[in-house]
Structure formats: C-alpha cells, structure tokens
Amino acid sequence: MTPLPSAGTCLLAVLLICGRPAHAQPGSPTGAQGAGNQSAGYTGATKDSSLFGDSHHFLWFTGHWSTTKKHVFVVDKGSGAFPAGGSSGGGSGGGSGGTVTVNPDGSVNLSGPGVDEWNKKVGEAQKQIDDWVQQLSNPANNADLRTQHLNNLLLPEAQEQQQQWSEYRIDKKQDVLTPDTRPGDTPPSQPAAPQRTLNDAATDMCNAEKADYDKVMAYYKSIKKEKEADLNVPPPPEFEYDCYVCDSDRRKVYDTTIAHYVRDFMHPEDSMIRKALGMMRSFLLLNGNENTISGEVDQAFSKAGACHYLSYGELNDAMLTIITHMYLRAEKLVDKYKNDFRACEAIARTFVTVARNFALVTGNTSSSDSYLAELAPIVARAFDFYYQQVKQNNWKQVANIPLLMGLARQISLLGSDMGDYRFQDYFEKLKVIMNDFVLTIDMDTKFGKDQGYWISHVKGQCHIGPDFDQDSNQCYKWVVLDEKMQDPNGFYKTKALQEIDCKLIANQITGSQYSPVYVGTKKYTITLKGLRMDFCSPGQDTIILSSFSPSPRDSGWWRIPHAPLQNLGISGEQFFVDVKKQKELVNSGEAQKAANNYQSQSEQMIARMKQMAEQMKSDTGRKTFQDYQKIMEMANQVKQSANQGVLAKVMFLDFELPVKNNQRELVKKTFDGKQINPQAAGAVVYANFTVLIENESVPRPKQP
C-alpha cells in the first residue's frame, strides 16, 4: 500500500508545551477558509495573530493541554476534524474527543474513539483473512490434490489481502507527522546541522524551503473554495474477468494497473503535504530544546528575516484542507462509480487506503463508516454478474471459480461478514456449481451375423469437477469426484481411483439353445484417464477412458455349455478404437518412442518418490504432510504422462469432444463404431458410445 500524507508540525508542539507565546506575524490569517475550516473545529491563528496559535489549539484540534499528563493535548468533544460539506455527520470518531501526545523525539500520536473504531473494523477483517490464509495453507486441508491445486491458486491473493489489511491498521504509536514511516522504522534521515547558531540554521532552512512552501500555499488556495462538482475524480480502471484466472500475465497487469491508480489518485495532494511536512520536520530538528528555541530564532522570524513568510495558521489550514480534499475525492469516487462493478477492485482499494490515512490524521471515521458500507455492494455486483453468467450456461466462467471465491472473501471483509454479505452464503452458491457437473457414458453395441449376436449395453454416471492443475497447455482439467467426501470449502474431493461406477443393462449372446449365458455381476467400472474441456482455450477437447471392467474384476462370469465358467465380461469397446490409426502410430515408431519416454520418466519419478518416502521417516508434523503432498503430486504426474498424447491413443479409448457453450449440456455426442472402424461395419449391427456432460443445477428445459 502506498502511504498517504498527513499533516502537522512538531515545532508547534515544542512551543505550545513550553506555554510560551511565539512570535506574532503581522497580516497572518485569523481563521481557516474553505474545506479546512467548515467543520474542523480549528480556527487558525489566535486573536493576536501569533504565528503558532494558542494553548487551546493544537494542529487542527481544539481543546486544552492536560494538567496531569505532560505533553498530552486533550481534544474537546464535538471539535474533531471533519470533511467539508456535512458528509460526516455524527458517529464514532467524529468530534468524540481523544488525545494528542507529543513525544520527546517530536513525534505526535493520536488516539481516540475514531482510531479505535477504525482498528476494530480492520481487526475483524484481519481475523477473517488470517483464518482464510491458515485454511488455504494448512497441509491437512491439502491432502486432496484438487483442493491443493485450488488452494495454491487462491493463496497468493489471500496473502496479498492479508498484507493490505495489516497496513490499513493504525498503530497508536504511528507518528502522524511522518506517515511514510511505520513505528519501529528509522525516521527519515536529516542532514547534520552545521555548527552555527540556531538562528542561522533556521535562516538556511527557510531559504531552502520557500519554493516548496509557495507551491503548497498556491495549491491550497486553488482548491479551498472548490465545491463537490469541482472535485477531480479520474475514472477507475475497468477490467473484463473472462478467463482471468487462466492468464497469469493478465493478472499481473491488472494488479499493477490498480496499484498505479491508487498511487496516482492521491496526487498532487500527497506531494504537497510531503513538501510541507519536510519543511516542518527540518525546522523541528534544528534544536530539541523547548526552553530556548523560541528565543533563539527571533531574527529569522522578524519582518526582515528569512522566515517572515511562514504562517503556521495558513500552513496548518492548508494541511487539513488538502488531506480533506483528497478524502472528499475518494467519497465522490464511490458515489460516482458505485454501479461500475468492473472497477470494484480499484474503487475499494483506493477508498480504504485514503480513509485509513484520513483517520490516522484526523481521528475521524464517522463518514468512512457509511462509505465502507457502500463498498461491499459494489463487489457483490461483480460476483452476481459472473455468477449469473455461469447460471446462464456461460461455461467460460468455470475458469473464474477462483475469482468468484476471491470476490466472496472481499465482500465478507468489506461487509463485516454480516447480513447479505456472509462469506458462507456466497460459497453455498459456488458449491452448487462446483459439485453439480455430471458425466454420463453409455455404450450400446450389437455385433455378429447369421442369427448369432453379442449384445452389450452398459451405462455409468459420476460427478466431475474442474481441477486447477495449471500448466502451459491448460487452465484446468476435469476429474471424477467423490460425493461422499468434501473439502473444507464444501467441494467434493477427487475420487482416489478415477473410476466411474456403471450398471450393466444387457449382456447377451443370442443364437441356439447352447449359447453362453452371462451369470456375472451387473456392477462395472470404467476409469477416466483424462478429460479436457477448456472453454478459455477451445480445441483439443478430449475424453480418454479405459475399457469396462467388472467389479470386482473376477466377477464377469459366463456359463458356457460343456465348459467351466469364463470371466469374459462384456465386449464392444474394440469398435471405438481406430485400429488403422493405431497401426500407423506403431509402424511410425511414435508409439515405441512414447513408451520409452514414459518408462524413463516413470523410473526417474519412482526413484524420487522413494527418496521422499525415506525422508518422511525422519520428518514430523507439518513437514510430513508436505512430503506426502509431493509424493501424491509425483504419482499423479506419472499417471498423466500415460494419459495423453500417443500412448493414450494406443492404450485407451480416446474421443475428441465437440464442446458446447451457453447450453445446459456441455457435451452430448454419440460416437458410431461403424464410422470409426469402417472395416468392421459388416459385422456390426450398431455400436454407439454416448458421452453426456451437463450441470444438474441448471433446470432442464420444459418439454412441449
């Protein structure tokens, strides 16, 4: 997060704590003007036009110096700093008192109900995001590879949010005069003062800083009478998030663009206030002796002195006016673009960043409370838009499931996880999508001649879901899910064995009274070796399947006359293998080359897995989980190397899928064995293999 500037002067603290009136400046303003004084509760210089004010004013606050705690200014209730135009109203943090403490090193700390209220909201959000990061990174939640791949994709963004919200918190030890330096950091370095009089050093400082002072005051005068309509609000960057998750370069560009918008939004206010603060801090560091400083700079602040141009009243009013001006622009950003959900990320980050720094400087959060409440609906509009795209069968949005999960988390953070903005409610919507994709396969064959036929009909169904195992060729793949097992998000886990449970509908050999009779199980399985449906990178969409096997494997019995029982199972898959293409691959040597590569890769991978297994013997706790994850990932890589390319075409059923978008049915295709193997057409009555993929959460169209 780019820190925003704040305002203040440590020199004033030194002089006011002394209780010693400073030098009068003829012609200095008697009150703030424009946005800075309309509700700030600060009236500028004192009636006698003293340069540094009186004992009832410190910075932009009205109150008094504590009689029991040295260097503590007690802010009057009802006198806090507010933005102009009456947008703040009442509420916590606005005019509810507080204290300003001046430390021996000249730093100034602000505390009060406004800061406490801000930190409470930020703390609640931090707790949410910390729990979320813990859930995503906990090895116990990543034993399932599908869950692990998704969590790995979500974790970097969650950690970035964790850092952002940590920076939104206001440390009570934060020096409001050096907002770019966090408590514990080294303060901005200052050049060593030459060994001369304090008055000479003040003269040099005022000569060096006059140009910056003039720029600050010129900008202040140019904006102090601006109305709401005059406030400049650059349009926030808009983004289309279709297939956003699949493109890492695109994600980086979006994030960089938003970061630059937040930075640039604060300009030129940040530059102007930094110039003023630099001058004031330099003046403070001239001498830390509060008992002598006012007397030793008399000449520098005389009418003929180099510092005669410096008016604390005007500079202080300029500080408050400029930071208020920036805050009001942030409010206008939300008001003007609250319906632009494509810019929600830039709007939210900009406003929260500006509001945090306004609270740091002024202690006021009453206005930001209401505007923070406006941010959650903006992000919710983005979620609803892309969620409705999925509900309307735009399957390109499958790739954006991680994006929707991130938006749900942002909505919860900004909406305090209450009412319409509960994280779990949004997640329930995603569960319906992620858990309701269904794959149905149906093989129905009849072949033979001369009144002797073998009829086999088997049908299977399973839930499938996207697995965000990304590589250069795909954004995600599809896997068989286990409906009985859920991960911490409520999504079905990957089925350990990628088997599809099937039911045998018919398995019959017709002919004479002596024909074999099937007496085996009606439970069969077929293994999903690979399924690609990538709507962000269409083409090459395929499903790879093994042959059908009885379950258990030794239960596909046939009773054959005058012979023992035979475990023959079913027949018919052979018609869906392109035998001609297989021969071409074998004869060309491609199949052997692929087999050799597979064997070599497998041996290397197995050796690495054995090393990891040995290492697990000495590892404990969290490290053991990580070792297990690596072994599972290696085993998965070994499997995948055989389930693609040439080997898949030789070893398995390999169908090219005509994928459809914007329909309930993603795939509905019946493959004709007679077309795949024309040479066998004479013996085939029919051979149909149907693949159907749909999402059950989408209502079926009503039949006429």
Side-chain angles (χ1 to χ4, degrees), residues 489-614:
N489 299 321
F491 301 152
Y492 294 151
K493 290 185 177 182
T494 309
K495 196 171 183 180
L497 298 176
Q498 290 285 285
E499 294 180 342
I500 304 169
D501 294 328
C502 304
K503 181 180 180 180
L504 185 64
I505 298 174
N507 197 20
Q508 178 183 7
I509 296 177
T510 63
S512 68
Q513 58 179 324
Y514 300 108
S515 296
V517 177
Y518 182 75
V519 295
T521 181
K522 291 191 175 182
K523 294 181 179 180
Y524 274 71
T525 63
I526 188 172
T527 301
L528 179 67
K529 294 293 184 178
L531 174 56
R532 174 190 168 96
M533 291 188 301
D534 193 338
F535 292 89
C536 293
S537 301
Q540 300 181 342
D541 296 309
T542 58
I543 185 170
I544 302 172
L545 298 161
S546 70
S547 58
F548 291 95
S549 298
S551 180
R553 289 184 176 273
D554 60 351
S555 59
W557 300 110
W558 285 84
R559 180 181 293 118
I560 301 175
H562 312 296
L565 291 175
Q566 299 290 319
N567 185 22
L568 302 177
I570 63 174
S571 186
E573 301 110 315
Q574 64 270 24
F575 300 118
F576 304 102
V577 176
D578 191 334
V579 177
K580 182 179 179 181
K581 185 175 291 186
Q582 280 188 340
K583 289 181 179 179
E584 291 175 355
L585 291 172
V586 172
N587 293 335
S588 68
E590 290 186 46
Q592 186 59 50
K593 181 179 178 181
N596 292 339
N597 288 338
Y598 170 70
Q599 182 177 356
S600 176
Q601 292 173 6
S602 298
E603 290 174 351
Q604 294 176 19
M605 199 71 68
I606 291 171
R608 289 178 58 193
M609 290 170 65
K610 288 180 178 179
Q611 291 176 355
M612 290 299 303
E614 287 297 319

Side-chain angles (χ1 to χ4, degrees), residues 136-155:
L136 295 177
S137 58
N138 188 345
N141 296 333
N142 287 279
D144 173 58
L145 285 179
R146 178 178 183 237
T147 305
Q148 181 189 353
H149 295 150
L150 179 58
N151 289 350
N152 288 344
L153 199 59
L154 293 169
L155 186 59

Side-chain angles (χ1 to χ4, degrees), residues 74-230:
V74 181
V75 180
D76 290 346
K77 292 185 178 180
S79 65
F82 300 95
S87 62
S88 294
S92 64
S96 53
T99 60
V100 183
T101 302
V102 184
N103 301 304
D105 62 356
S107 60
V108 176
N109 307 135
L110 174 64
S111 63
V115 173
D116 293 341
E117 182 65 22
W118 176 267
N119 283 340
K120 180 181 178 182
K121 292 180 181 296
V122 172
E124 292 170 351
Q126 280 185 286
K127 178 64 167 58
Q128 284 191 56
I129 197 66
D130 288 347
D131 290 346
W132 180 232
V133 169
Q134 173 63 23
Q135 177 180 321
L136 295 177
S137 58
N138 188 345
N141 296 333
N142 287 279
D144 173 58
L145 285 179
R146 178 178 183 237
T147 305
Q148 181 189 353
H149 295 150
L150 179 58
N151 289 350
N152 288 344
L153 199 59
L154 293 169
L155 186 59
E157 181 183 353
Q159 291 172 328
E160 182 180 353
Q161 286 185 333
Q162 189 179 42
Q163 178 64 27
Q164 288 172 355
W165 282 92
S166 174
E167 293 179 344
Y168 290 150
R169 183 179 178 275
I170 298 175
D171 193 314
K172 290 188 176 182
K173 295 181 180 180
Q174 173 70 54
D175 180 10
V176 299
L177 306 181
T178 55
D180 293 339
T181 302
R182 297 283 175 173
D185 292 348
T186 303
S189 60
Q190 299 290 335
Q195 297 299 315
R196 295 181 297 157
T197 67
L198 197 59
N199 194 77
D200 288 341
T203 298
D204 290 345
M205 186 276 292
C206 289
N207 286 332
E209 301 290 353
K210 187 176 187 306
D212 283 347
Y213 180 88
D214 290 342
K215 289 179 181 178
V216 171
M217 299 312 298
Y219 182 71
Y220 160 57
K221 292 174 182 177
S222 72
I223 66 170
K224 66 180 182 179
K225 293 183 179 179
E226 279 191 358
K227 305 298 182 183
E228 194 274 339
D230 301 321

Side-chain angles (χ1 to χ4, degrees), residues 168-412:
Y168 290 150
R169 183 179 178 275
I170 298 175
D171 193 314
K172 290 188 176 182
K173 295 181 180 180
Q174 173 70 54
D175 180 10
V176 299
L177 306 181
T178 55
D180 293 339
T181 302
R182 297 283 175 173
D185 292 348
T186 303
S189 60
Q190 299 290 335
Q195 297 299 315
R196 295 181 297 157
T197 67
L198 197 59
N199 194 77
D200 288 341
T203 298
D204 290 345
M205 186 276 292
C206 289
N207 286 332
E209 301 290 353
K210 187 176 187 306
D212 283 347
Y213 180 88
D214 290 342
K215 289 179 181 178
V216 171
M217 299 312 298
Y219 182 71
Y220 160 57
K221 292 174 182 177
S222 72
I223 66 170
K224 66 180 182 179
K225 293 183 179 179
E226 279 191 358
K227 305 298 182 183
E228 194 274 339
D230 301 321
L231 296 173
N232 176 40
V233 176
E238 297 180 336
F239 301 111
E240 286 292 347
Y241 287 95
D242 284 351
C243 299
Y244 167 78
V245 175
C246 300
D247 191 339
S248 59
D249 291 336
R250 188 173 163 202
R251 296 200 302 270
K252 292 176 183 177
V253 169
Y254 282 13
D255 191 63
T256 301
T257 301
I258 292 170
H260 287 175
Y261 177 82
V262 176
R263 178 199 64 193
D264 296 342
F265 183 91
M266 299 181 293
H267 193 75
E269 290 95 339
D270 57 347
S271 175
M272 295 300 160
I273 294 179
R274 282 191 177 94
K275 292 180 186 297
L277 286 176
M279 179 177 60
M280 291 180 171
R281 189 160 186 83
S282 295
F283 192 31
L284 168 67
L285 295 176
L286 289 173
N287 193 305
N289 189 332
E290 62 188 48
N291 294 317
T292 62
I293 191 171
S294 61
E296 293 189 35
V297 295
D298 284 349
Q299 186 177 351
F301 279 91
S302 67
K303 290 184 179 180
C307 300
H308 73 281
Y309 66 85
L310 178 61
S311 169
Y312 165 72
E314 284 192 345
L315 192 56
N316 189 53
D317 291 339
M319 291 282 202
L320 181 58
T321 298
I322 292 172
I323 198 168
T324 299
H325 184 261
M326 181 163 55
Y327 176 79
L328 292 176
R329 291 201 298 114
E331 282 190 347
K332 184 176 179 180
L333 172 69
V334 177
D335 287 333
K336 186 174 182 179
Y337 294 100
K338 61 185 177 184
N339 293 321
D340 188 358
F341 65 84
R342 289 182 175 86
C344 65
E345 179 73 10
I347 295 170
R349 284 172 59 178
T350 300
F351 181 82
V352 177
T353 302
V354 173
R356 181 263 178 193
N357 288 275
F358 187 75
L360 166 66
V361 172
T362 68
N364 175 28
T365 61
S366 57
S367 177
S368 61
D369 286 351
S370 60
Y371 276 87
L372 283 172
E374 290 290 328
L375 297 179
I378 299 175
V379 183
R381 290 187 185 97
F383 180 97
D384 290 340
F385 175 81
Y386 291 104
Y387 174 71
Q388 288 303 320
Q389 291 286 303
V390 179
K391 297 297 288 183
Q392 294 167 13
N393 306 331
N394 179 0
W395 303 120
K396 289 179 68 175
Q397 302 306 324
V398 168
N400 278 339
I401 293 296
L403 169 70
L404 289 171
M405 293 174 70
L407 290 174
R409 176 54 64 188
Q410 282 189 309
I411 293 166
S412 173

